[in-house]
Short mmCIF file of all heavy atoms in Angstrom, two decimals:
data_model
loop_
_atom_site.label_atom_id
_atom_site.label_comp_id
_atom_site.label_asym_id
_atom_site.label_seq_id
_atom_site.Cartn_x
_atom_site.Cartn_y
_atom_site.Cartn_z
N VAL A 1 0.88 -1.20 0.01
CA VAL A 1 -0.03 0.02 -0.02
C VAL A 1 0.92 1.24 0.01
O VAL A 1 1.79 1.36 0.81
CB VAL A 1 -0.94 0.01 1.22
CG1 VAL A 1 -1.79 1.27 1.28
CG2 VAL A 1 -1.84 -1.18 1.24
N ARG A 2 0.69 2.11 -0.97
CA ARG A 2 1.45 3.35 -1.06
C ARG A 2 0.93 4.47 -0.28
O ARG A 2 1.60 5.41 0.11
CB ARG A 2 1.57 3.67 -2.54
CG ARG A 2 2.33 2.68 -3.36
CD ARG A 2 2.39 3.06 -4.79
NE ARG A 2 3.03 1.97 -5.51
CZ ARG A 2 3.16 1.97 -6.83
NH1 ARG A 2 2.72 2.89 -7.53
NH2 ARG A 2 3.73 0.88 -7.36
N ARG A 3 -0.38 4.48 -0.12
CA ARG A 3 -1.08 5.53 0.73
C ARG A 3 -2.32 5.00 1.23
O ARG A 3 -2.90 4.00 0.74
CB ARG A 3 -1.25 6.80 -0.12
CG ARG A 3 -2.16 6.58 -1.29
CD ARG A 3 -2.17 7.84 -2.14
NE ARG A 3 -3.53 8.14 -2.47
CZ ARG A 3 -3.86 8.98 -3.50
NH1 ARG A 3 -2.91 9.57 -4.26
NH2 ARG A 3 -5.13 9.23 -3.84
N PRO A 4 -2.92 5.62 2.31
CA PRO A 4 -4.18 5.11 2.85
C PRO A 4 -5.30 5.17 1.81
O PRO A 4 -5.38 6.03 0.98
CB PRO A 4 -4.49 6.11 4.02
CG PRO A 4 -3.13 6.71 4.31
CD PRO A 4 -2.34 6.72 3.05
N ILE A 5 -6.19 4.16 1.93
CA ILE A 5 -7.27 4.06 0.92
C ILE A 5 -8.54 4.21 1.78
O ILE A 5 -8.90 3.45 2.66
CB ILE A 5 -7.31 2.66 0.24
CG1 ILE A 5 -6.03 2.51 -0.54
CG2 ILE A 5 -8.50 2.56 -0.63
CD1 ILE A 5 -5.82 1.15 -1.16
N ASP A 6 -9.31 5.34 1.50
CA ASP A 6 -10.62 5.55 2.11
C ASP A 6 -11.65 4.77 1.46
O ASP A 6 -11.77 4.68 0.22
CB ASP A 6 -10.89 7.05 1.94
CG ASP A 6 -12.20 7.47 2.67
OD1 ASP A 6 -13.17 6.77 2.61
OD2 ASP A 6 -12.11 8.52 3.40
N ALA A 7 -12.53 4.06 2.27
CA ALA A 7 -13.57 3.17 1.79
C ALA A 7 -14.59 3.87 0.93
O ALA A 7 -15.30 3.32 0.11
CB ALA A 7 -14.24 2.48 2.86
N GLY A 8 -14.72 5.21 1.07
CA GLY A 8 -15.76 5.95 0.31
C GLY A 8 -15.26 6.53 -1.05
O GLY A 8 -16.01 7.12 -1.75
N ILE A 9 -14.00 6.38 -1.35
CA ILE A 9 -13.43 6.90 -2.63
C ILE A 9 -13.40 5.79 -3.67
O ILE A 9 -12.85 4.70 -3.42
CB ILE A 9 -12.04 7.47 -2.44
CG1 ILE A 9 -12.14 8.67 -1.48
CG2 ILE A 9 -11.48 7.89 -3.76
CD1 ILE A 9 -10.77 9.28 -1.17
N PRO A 10 -14.01 5.98 -4.90
CA PRO A 10 -13.89 4.95 -5.90
C PRO A 10 -12.50 4.69 -6.35
O PRO A 10 -11.66 5.61 -6.39
CB PRO A 10 -14.68 5.62 -7.07
CG PRO A 10 -15.36 6.75 -6.57
CD PRO A 10 -14.67 7.22 -5.31
N LEU A 11 -12.16 3.46 -6.63
CA LEU A 11 -10.85 2.99 -7.09
C LEU A 11 -10.92 2.66 -8.61
O LEU A 11 -11.88 2.20 -9.03
CB LEU A 11 -10.36 1.86 -6.35
CG LEU A 11 -10.14 1.96 -4.84
CD1 LEU A 11 -9.80 0.67 -4.22
CD2 LEU A 11 -9.02 3.03 -4.57
N ASP A 12 -9.83 2.98 -9.31
CA ASP A 12 -9.60 2.49 -10.69
C ASP A 12 -8.66 1.25 -10.57
O ASP A 12 -7.53 1.41 -9.94
CB ASP A 12 -8.95 3.56 -11.52
CG ASP A 12 -9.84 4.74 -11.74
OD1 ASP A 12 -11.08 4.48 -12.05
OD2 ASP A 12 -9.36 5.90 -11.66
N LEU A 13 -9.07 0.12 -11.05
CA LEU A 13 -8.23 -1.09 -10.93
C LEU A 13 -7.74 -1.47 -12.35
O LEU A 13 -8.44 -1.40 -13.32
CB LEU A 13 -9.12 -2.23 -10.39
CG LEU A 13 -9.75 -2.02 -9.03
CD1 LEU A 13 -10.66 -3.13 -8.63
CD2 LEU A 13 -8.67 -1.72 -7.98
N SER A 14 -6.51 -1.90 -12.33
CA SER A 14 -5.96 -2.43 -13.60
C SER A 14 -5.08 -3.69 -13.30
O SER A 14 -4.49 -3.83 -12.19
CB SER A 14 -5.00 -1.41 -14.28
OG SER A 14 -3.83 -1.10 -13.48
N VAL A 15 -5.08 -4.60 -14.23
CA VAL A 15 -4.38 -5.83 -14.17
C VAL A 15 -3.61 -6.09 -15.47
O VAL A 15 -4.27 -5.88 -16.53
CB VAL A 15 -5.32 -7.07 -13.81
CG1 VAL A 15 -4.53 -8.32 -13.72
CG2 VAL A 15 -6.13 -6.79 -12.56
N ARG A 16 -2.40 -6.50 -15.36
CA ARG A 16 -1.62 -6.78 -16.57
C ARG A 16 -0.61 -7.88 -16.37
O ARG A 16 -0.30 -8.17 -15.20
CB ARG A 16 -0.89 -5.53 -17.12
CG ARG A 16 0.12 -4.98 -16.19
CD ARG A 16 0.73 -3.63 -16.76
NE ARG A 16 1.74 -3.19 -15.82
CZ ARG A 16 3.02 -3.40 -15.83
NH1 ARG A 16 3.52 -4.11 -16.83
NH2 ARG A 16 3.85 -2.80 -15.03
N ALA A 17 -0.20 -8.57 -17.43
CA ALA A 17 0.78 -9.58 -17.43
C ALA A 17 2.10 -8.96 -17.88
O ALA A 17 2.13 -8.16 -18.81
CB ALA A 17 0.35 -10.76 -18.20
N ALA A 18 3.22 -9.42 -17.27
CA ALA A 18 4.54 -8.93 -17.68
C ALA A 18 5.63 -10.04 -17.47
O ALA A 18 5.42 -10.94 -16.62
CB ALA A 18 4.88 -7.65 -16.91
N ASP A 19 6.74 -9.79 -18.03
CA ASP A 19 7.93 -10.59 -17.83
C ASP A 19 7.79 -12.12 -18.04
O ASP A 19 8.07 -12.94 -17.12
CB ASP A 19 8.43 -10.32 -16.35
CG ASP A 19 9.88 -10.78 -16.13
OD1 ASP A 19 10.59 -11.00 -17.13
OD2 ASP A 19 10.25 -10.99 -14.96
N LEU A 20 7.28 -12.50 -19.22
CA LEU A 20 7.23 -13.84 -19.58
C LEU A 20 8.66 -14.43 -19.62
O LEU A 20 9.56 -13.87 -20.21
CB LEU A 20 6.56 -14.02 -20.92
CG LEU A 20 6.43 -15.45 -21.45
CD1 LEU A 20 5.51 -16.30 -20.56
CD2 LEU A 20 5.83 -15.44 -22.90
N ARG A 21 8.82 -15.61 -18.96
CA ARG A 21 10.14 -16.16 -18.87
C ARG A 21 10.10 -17.75 -18.71
O ARG A 21 9.04 -18.20 -18.39
CB ARG A 21 10.91 -15.59 -17.74
CG ARG A 21 10.34 -15.75 -16.38
CD ARG A 21 10.79 -14.70 -15.34
NE ARG A 21 10.16 -14.84 -14.07
CZ ARG A 21 9.08 -14.22 -13.68
NH1 ARG A 21 8.46 -13.39 -14.54
NH2 ARG A 21 8.53 -14.34 -12.52
N ASP A 22 11.20 -18.40 -19.02
CA ASP A 22 11.31 -19.81 -18.83
C ASP A 22 11.36 -20.17 -17.31
O ASP A 22 11.78 -19.33 -16.58
CB ASP A 22 12.52 -20.39 -19.59
CG ASP A 22 12.35 -20.38 -21.08
OD1 ASP A 22 11.22 -20.60 -21.51
OD2 ASP A 22 13.36 -20.15 -21.70
N HIS A 23 10.84 -21.34 -17.10
CA HIS A 23 10.86 -21.88 -15.73
C HIS A 23 11.16 -23.34 -15.87
O HIS A 23 10.81 -23.97 -16.84
CB HIS A 23 9.52 -21.62 -15.00
CG HIS A 23 9.51 -22.04 -13.61
ND1 HIS A 23 9.25 -23.40 -13.22
CD2 HIS A 23 9.74 -21.35 -12.47
CE1 HIS A 23 9.31 -23.46 -11.92
NE2 HIS A 23 9.63 -22.27 -11.39
N PRO A 24 11.84 -23.96 -14.91
CA PRO A 24 12.16 -25.42 -15.03
C PRO A 24 10.98 -26.32 -15.28
O PRO A 24 11.09 -27.36 -15.92
CB PRO A 24 12.82 -25.77 -13.75
CG PRO A 24 13.45 -24.52 -13.21
CD PRO A 24 12.54 -23.45 -13.75
N ARG A 25 9.85 -25.90 -14.86
CA ARG A 25 8.48 -26.68 -15.09
C ARG A 25 7.64 -26.11 -16.10
O ARG A 25 6.53 -26.58 -16.27
CB ARG A 25 7.84 -26.77 -13.72
CG ARG A 25 8.61 -27.55 -12.70
CD ARG A 25 7.80 -27.77 -11.41
NE ARG A 25 6.66 -28.54 -11.68
CZ ARG A 25 5.68 -28.71 -10.85
NH1 ARG A 25 5.61 -28.08 -9.67
NH2 ARG A 25 4.66 -29.54 -11.16
N GLY A 26 8.11 -25.18 -16.94
CA GLY A 26 7.31 -24.63 -18.02
C GLY A 26 7.63 -23.19 -18.28
O GLY A 26 8.80 -22.83 -18.48
N ARG A 27 6.62 -22.30 -18.22
CA ARG A 27 6.81 -20.92 -18.43
C ARG A 27 6.26 -20.13 -17.22
O ARG A 27 5.34 -20.62 -16.58
CB ARG A 27 6.09 -20.43 -19.74
CG ARG A 27 6.50 -21.18 -21.00
CD ARG A 27 7.75 -20.69 -21.59
NE ARG A 27 7.48 -19.50 -22.34
CZ ARG A 27 8.36 -18.66 -22.72
NH1 ARG A 27 9.66 -18.85 -22.43
NH2 ARG A 27 8.02 -17.59 -23.41
N GLN A 28 6.73 -19.01 -16.92
CA GLN A 28 6.27 -18.21 -15.81
C GLN A 28 6.07 -16.71 -16.23
O GLN A 28 6.87 -16.25 -17.05
CB GLN A 28 7.28 -18.24 -14.68
CG GLN A 28 6.81 -17.61 -13.41
CD GLN A 28 7.68 -17.93 -12.25
OE1 GLN A 28 8.10 -19.11 -12.04
NE2 GLN A 28 8.01 -17.00 -11.38
N PHE A 29 5.19 -16.02 -15.68
CA PHE A 29 4.94 -14.63 -15.93
C PHE A 29 4.43 -13.97 -14.62
O PHE A 29 3.99 -14.69 -13.69
CB PHE A 29 4.03 -14.37 -17.05
CG PHE A 29 2.65 -14.97 -16.90
CD1 PHE A 29 1.58 -14.13 -16.39
CD2 PHE A 29 2.34 -16.26 -17.19
CE1 PHE A 29 0.30 -14.63 -16.18
CE2 PHE A 29 1.10 -16.80 -16.95
CZ PHE A 29 0.03 -16.04 -16.49
N ASP A 30 4.48 -12.70 -14.55
CA ASP A 30 4.01 -11.94 -13.43
C ASP A 30 2.63 -11.29 -13.72
O ASP A 30 2.43 -10.79 -14.80
CB ASP A 30 4.90 -10.83 -12.97
CG ASP A 30 6.24 -11.36 -12.43
OD1 ASP A 30 6.23 -12.48 -11.92
OD2 ASP A 30 7.28 -10.65 -12.59
N VAL A 31 1.72 -11.38 -12.82
CA VAL A 31 0.43 -10.64 -12.90
C VAL A 31 0.56 -9.45 -11.98
O VAL A 31 0.82 -9.56 -10.79
CB VAL A 31 -0.74 -11.49 -12.47
CG1 VAL A 31 -2.01 -10.70 -12.50
CG2 VAL A 31 -0.84 -12.72 -13.46
N ILE A 32 0.31 -8.18 -12.51
CA ILE A 32 0.52 -7.00 -11.75
C ILE A 32 -0.83 -6.28 -11.57
O ILE A 32 -1.48 -5.95 -12.64
CB ILE A 32 1.51 -6.04 -12.42
CG1 ILE A 32 2.85 -6.79 -12.60
CG2 ILE A 32 1.67 -4.80 -11.57
CD1 ILE A 32 3.82 -6.13 -13.53
N ALA A 33 -1.32 -6.23 -10.38
CA ALA A 33 -2.62 -5.48 -10.12
C ALA A 33 -2.32 -4.17 -9.43
O ALA A 33 -1.54 -4.11 -8.51
CB ALA A 33 -3.45 -6.42 -9.24
N THR A 34 -2.98 -3.12 -9.91
CA THR A 34 -2.80 -1.77 -9.33
C THR A 34 -4.12 -1.13 -9.02
O THR A 34 -5.04 -1.18 -9.88
CB THR A 34 -1.95 -0.90 -10.25
OG1 THR A 34 -0.74 -1.57 -10.62
CG2 THR A 34 -1.66 0.47 -9.67
N ALA A 35 -4.26 -0.52 -7.85
CA ALA A 35 -5.44 0.26 -7.45
C ALA A 35 -5.03 1.71 -7.46
O ALA A 35 -4.01 2.05 -6.81
CB ALA A 35 -5.98 -0.20 -6.19
N SER A 36 -5.78 2.59 -8.15
CA SER A 36 -5.42 4.03 -8.21
C SER A 36 -6.57 4.85 -7.62
O SER A 36 -7.78 4.44 -7.85
CB SER A 36 -5.16 4.42 -9.60
OG SER A 36 -4.04 3.76 -10.16
N MET A 37 -6.33 5.98 -7.07
CA MET A 37 -7.35 6.92 -6.62
C MET A 37 -6.95 8.25 -7.26
O MET A 37 -5.82 8.77 -7.02
CB MET A 37 -7.31 7.07 -5.11
CG MET A 37 -7.75 5.81 -4.35
SD MET A 37 -7.88 6.08 -2.58
CE MET A 37 -6.37 6.84 -2.07
N GLY A 38 -7.84 8.87 -7.95
CA GLY A 38 -7.60 10.19 -8.54
C GLY A 38 -6.37 10.19 -9.46
O GLY A 38 -5.70 11.26 -9.55
N GLY A 39 -6.07 9.11 -10.19
CA GLY A 39 -4.96 9.06 -11.08
C GLY A 39 -3.63 8.69 -10.43
O GLY A 39 -2.65 8.49 -11.16
N ALA A 40 -3.61 8.57 -9.04
CA ALA A 40 -2.36 8.21 -8.37
C ALA A 40 -2.46 6.82 -7.86
O ALA A 40 -3.41 6.47 -7.23
CB ALA A 40 -2.04 9.26 -7.32
N ALA A 41 -1.39 6.05 -8.13
CA ALA A 41 -1.43 4.67 -7.60
C ALA A 41 -1.41 4.68 -6.04
O ALA A 41 -0.67 5.29 -5.38
CB ALA A 41 -0.16 3.93 -8.12
N ALA A 42 -2.38 3.88 -5.54
CA ALA A 42 -2.56 3.73 -4.05
C ALA A 42 -2.00 2.43 -3.56
O ALA A 42 -1.54 2.32 -2.43
CB ALA A 42 -4.03 3.89 -3.66
N ALA A 43 -2.09 1.34 -4.37
CA ALA A 43 -1.62 0.09 -3.95
C ALA A 43 -1.27 -0.70 -5.28
O ALA A 43 -1.92 -0.60 -6.30
CB ALA A 43 -2.68 -0.72 -3.12
N SER A 44 -0.30 -1.65 -5.08
CA SER A 44 0.13 -2.44 -6.19
C SER A 44 0.58 -3.79 -5.68
O SER A 44 1.12 -3.89 -4.60
CB SER A 44 1.25 -1.79 -6.99
OG SER A 44 1.59 -2.60 -8.09
N ARG A 45 0.31 -4.89 -6.41
CA ARG A 45 0.73 -6.19 -6.04
C ARG A 45 1.21 -6.96 -7.21
O ARG A 45 0.55 -7.00 -8.28
CB ARG A 45 -0.46 -6.92 -5.37
CG ARG A 45 -0.21 -8.32 -4.94
CD ARG A 45 0.60 -8.52 -3.71
NE ARG A 45 -0.20 -8.33 -2.56
CZ ARG A 45 0.26 -8.20 -1.36
NH1 ARG A 45 1.53 -8.23 -1.15
NH2 ARG A 45 -0.55 -8.13 -0.29
N VAL A 46 2.31 -7.70 -7.13
CA VAL A 46 2.82 -8.53 -8.15
C VAL A 46 2.79 -9.99 -7.66
O VAL A 46 3.21 -10.34 -6.56
CB VAL A 46 4.31 -8.21 -8.50
CG1 VAL A 46 4.86 -9.11 -9.55
CG2 VAL A 46 4.39 -6.77 -8.95
N GLY A 47 2.21 -10.83 -8.54
CA GLY A 47 2.15 -12.27 -8.21
C GLY A 47 2.62 -13.11 -9.37
O GLY A 47 2.01 -12.98 -10.44
N PRO A 48 3.62 -13.96 -9.16
CA PRO A 48 4.10 -14.83 -10.29
C PRO A 48 3.02 -15.94 -10.53
O PRO A 48 2.48 -16.47 -9.62
CB PRO A 48 5.40 -15.40 -9.77
CG PRO A 48 5.22 -15.31 -8.28
CD PRO A 48 4.41 -14.17 -7.96
N LYS A 49 2.88 -16.29 -11.77
CA LYS A 49 1.95 -17.41 -12.18
C LYS A 49 2.82 -18.27 -13.08
O LYS A 49 3.72 -17.84 -13.87
CB LYS A 49 0.80 -16.89 -13.01
CG LYS A 49 0.00 -15.91 -12.20
CD LYS A 49 -0.68 -16.57 -11.03
CE LYS A 49 -1.40 -15.50 -10.20
NZ LYS A 49 -1.80 -15.98 -8.94
N ARG A 50 2.53 -19.58 -13.12
CA ARG A 50 3.31 -20.53 -13.88
C ARG A 50 2.34 -21.35 -14.75
O ARG A 50 1.34 -21.82 -14.24
CB ARG A 50 4.07 -21.49 -12.92
CG ARG A 50 5.02 -22.33 -13.62
CD ARG A 50 5.88 -23.20 -12.64
NE ARG A 50 6.27 -22.48 -11.51
CZ ARG A 50 6.07 -22.82 -10.21
NH1 ARG A 50 5.52 -24.01 -10.03
NH2 ARG A 50 6.52 -22.12 -9.25
N ARG A 51 2.82 -21.63 -15.95
CA ARG A 51 2.12 -22.54 -16.85
C ARG A 51 2.99 -23.75 -17.03
O ARG A 51 4.03 -23.71 -17.64
CB ARG A 51 1.84 -21.88 -18.21
CG ARG A 51 1.29 -22.78 -19.27
CD ARG A 51 -0.18 -23.10 -19.02
NE ARG A 51 -0.61 -23.86 -20.20
CZ ARG A 51 -1.50 -24.81 -20.10
NH1 ARG A 51 -1.95 -25.15 -18.97
NH2 ARG A 51 -1.90 -25.42 -21.15
N CYS A 52 2.58 -24.84 -16.46
CA CYS A 52 3.46 -26.08 -16.49
C CYS A 52 3.31 -26.79 -17.87
O CYS A 52 2.26 -26.73 -18.52
CB CYS A 52 3.02 -27.05 -15.40
SG CYS A 52 3.29 -26.40 -13.75
N ARG A 53 4.43 -27.39 -18.25
CA ARG A 53 4.36 -28.18 -19.41
C ARG A 53 3.53 -29.42 -19.15
O ARG A 53 3.45 -29.96 -18.01
CB ARG A 53 5.84 -28.67 -19.73
CG ARG A 53 6.71 -27.63 -20.24
CD ARG A 53 8.03 -28.21 -20.64
NE ARG A 53 8.97 -27.17 -21.00
CZ ARG A 53 9.99 -26.80 -20.21
NH1 ARG A 53 10.25 -27.43 -19.16
NH2 ARG A 53 10.72 -25.79 -20.57
N SER A 54 2.85 -29.88 -20.17
CA SER A 54 2.07 -31.09 -20.02
C SER A 54 2.94 -32.34 -19.88
O SER A 54 4.00 -32.37 -20.42
CB SER A 54 1.04 -31.19 -21.12
OG SER A 54 1.71 -31.31 -22.36
N SER A 55 2.41 -33.27 -19.19
CA SER A 55 3.15 -34.53 -19.04
C SER A 55 2.37 -35.64 -19.61
O SER A 55 1.08 -35.49 -19.80
CB SER A 55 3.50 -34.79 -17.57
OG SER A 55 2.27 -35.18 -16.89
N PRO A 56 2.85 -36.81 -19.84
CA PRO A 56 2.10 -37.91 -20.39
C PRO A 56 0.97 -38.34 -19.48
O PRO A 56 -0.01 -38.90 -19.89
CB PRO A 56 3.06 -39.08 -20.53
CG PRO A 56 4.47 -38.48 -20.41
CD PRO A 56 4.26 -37.16 -19.69
N HIS A 57 1.00 -37.96 -18.19
CA HIS A 57 0.00 -38.40 -17.26
C HIS A 57 -1.04 -37.32 -17.02
O HIS A 57 -1.96 -37.54 -16.29
CB HIS A 57 0.66 -38.73 -15.92
CG HIS A 57 1.73 -39.80 -16.04
ND1 HIS A 57 1.40 -41.16 -16.43
CD2 HIS A 57 3.05 -39.73 -15.97
CE1 HIS A 57 2.55 -41.79 -16.52
NE2 HIS A 57 3.53 -41.04 -16.25
N SER A 58 -0.90 -36.12 -17.57
CA SER A 58 -1.88 -35.07 -17.40
C SER A 58 -3.00 -35.25 -18.28
O SER A 58 -2.93 -35.76 -19.31
CB SER A 58 -1.22 -33.67 -17.60
OG SER A 58 -0.85 -33.58 -18.90
N SER A 59 -4.17 -34.81 -17.77
CA SER A 59 -5.41 -34.91 -18.54
C SER A 59 -5.49 -33.70 -19.51
O SER A 59 -4.99 -32.64 -19.29
CB SER A 59 -6.64 -34.96 -17.66
OG SER A 59 -6.70 -33.70 -16.93
N PRO A 60 -6.15 -33.87 -20.67
CA PRO A 60 -6.18 -32.86 -21.67
C PRO A 60 -7.15 -31.73 -21.17
O PRO A 60 -7.99 -31.95 -20.33
CB PRO A 60 -6.84 -33.50 -22.90
CG PRO A 60 -7.52 -34.67 -22.36
CD PRO A 60 -6.75 -35.14 -21.14
N ILE A 61 -6.93 -30.50 -21.71
CA ILE A 61 -7.75 -29.38 -21.35
C ILE A 61 -9.08 -29.58 -22.10
O ILE A 61 -9.11 -29.86 -23.27
CB ILE A 61 -7.15 -28.05 -21.74
CG1 ILE A 61 -5.84 -27.83 -20.98
CG2 ILE A 61 -8.05 -26.91 -21.56
CD1 ILE A 61 -5.06 -26.64 -21.37
N ARG A 62 -10.14 -29.55 -21.35
CA ARG A 62 -11.48 -29.65 -21.92
C ARG A 62 -12.10 -28.30 -22.14
O ARG A 62 -12.24 -27.57 -21.20
CB ARG A 62 -12.36 -30.49 -21.02
CG ARG A 62 -11.84 -31.98 -20.97
CD ARG A 62 -12.67 -32.70 -19.97
NE ARG A 62 -11.91 -33.93 -19.57
CZ ARG A 62 -12.22 -35.11 -20.00
NH1 ARG A 62 -13.24 -35.38 -20.74
NH2 ARG A 62 -11.51 -36.17 -19.61
N ARG A 63 -12.51 -28.05 -23.35
CA ARG A 63 -13.18 -26.77 -23.70
C ARG A 63 -14.60 -27.04 -24.08
O ARG A 63 -14.89 -28.11 -24.75
CB ARG A 63 -12.39 -26.08 -24.75
CG ARG A 63 -11.05 -25.61 -24.39
CD ARG A 63 -10.47 -24.61 -25.39
NE ARG A 63 -9.30 -24.01 -24.83
CZ ARG A 63 -8.05 -24.43 -25.03
NH1 ARG A 63 -7.84 -25.53 -25.79
NH2 ARG A 63 -6.99 -23.85 -24.49
N PRO A 64 -15.55 -26.18 -23.78
CA PRO A 64 -16.90 -26.42 -24.21
C PRO A 64 -17.04 -26.32 -25.67
O PRO A 64 -16.28 -25.57 -26.39
CB PRO A 64 -17.70 -25.23 -23.53
CG PRO A 64 -16.70 -24.22 -23.17
CD PRO A 64 -15.35 -24.87 -23.06
N ALA A 65 -17.92 -27.09 -26.21
CA ALA A 65 -18.13 -27.18 -27.64
C ALA A 65 -18.77 -25.83 -28.07
O ALA A 65 -19.62 -25.28 -27.36
CB ALA A 65 -19.15 -28.28 -27.95
N THR A 66 -18.41 -25.32 -29.23
CA THR A 66 -18.94 -24.04 -29.73
C THR A 66 -20.28 -24.38 -30.43
O THR A 66 -20.46 -25.41 -30.94
CB THR A 66 -17.93 -23.44 -30.69
OG1 THR A 66 -17.71 -24.34 -31.75
CG2 THR A 66 -16.64 -23.10 -30.04
N GLY A 67 -21.10 -23.43 -30.32
CA GLY A 67 -22.44 -23.49 -30.98
C GLY A 67 -23.48 -24.36 -30.20
O GLY A 67 -24.57 -24.55 -30.70
N THR A 68 -23.07 -24.85 -29.08
CA THR A 68 -24.01 -25.72 -28.33
C THR A 68 -24.72 -24.70 -27.30
O THR A 68 -24.10 -24.07 -26.51
CB THR A 68 -23.25 -26.76 -27.49
OG1 THR A 68 -22.47 -27.51 -28.40
CG2 THR A 68 -24.19 -27.68 -26.82
N PRO A 69 -26.06 -24.76 -27.36
CA PRO A 69 -26.81 -23.88 -26.39
C PRO A 69 -26.64 -24.47 -25.01
O PRO A 69 -26.47 -25.64 -24.74
CB PRO A 69 -28.24 -24.07 -26.85
CG PRO A 69 -28.27 -25.29 -27.64
CD PRO A 69 -26.95 -25.53 -28.27
N PRO A 70 -26.67 -23.51 -23.98
CA PRO A 70 -26.60 -23.96 -22.63
C PRO A 70 -27.82 -24.77 -22.17
O PRO A 70 -28.89 -24.64 -22.76
CB PRO A 70 -26.53 -22.60 -21.83
CG PRO A 70 -27.14 -21.60 -22.77
CD PRO A 70 -26.87 -22.12 -24.12
N PRO A 71 -27.63 -25.68 -21.15
CA PRO A 71 -28.74 -26.47 -20.74
C PRO A 71 -29.81 -25.62 -20.07
O PRO A 71 -29.49 -24.62 -19.50
CB PRO A 71 -28.13 -27.44 -19.76
CG PRO A 71 -26.83 -26.84 -19.38
CD PRO A 71 -26.41 -25.95 -20.47
N ARG A 72 -31.06 -26.09 -20.20
CA ARG A 72 -32.20 -25.37 -19.53
C ARG A 72 -32.60 -25.95 -18.34
O ARG A 72 -32.62 -27.04 -18.00
CB ARG A 72 -33.34 -25.27 -20.49
CG ARG A 72 -32.96 -24.40 -21.75
CD ARG A 72 -34.21 -24.28 -22.59
NE ARG A 72 -33.77 -23.53 -23.78
CZ ARG A 72 -34.32 -22.39 -24.14
NH1 ARG A 72 -35.32 -21.96 -23.52
NH2 ARG A 72 -33.88 -21.77 -25.22
#
């Protein structure tokens, strides 16, 4: 936290990804979240995220079929 945040003041929130890099178990990148008040950053947080390489034992990613209506 860079400065106190008043609960009554609206915040502008932004999230972005940065610094894509290799990792022994796949690829890694940082997710950076920033809260601003009146155009000035009030708080910021960086969290690393990892995308692991698939292994022969991992299950495939399942995606919903396109064009299929949702159940009623």
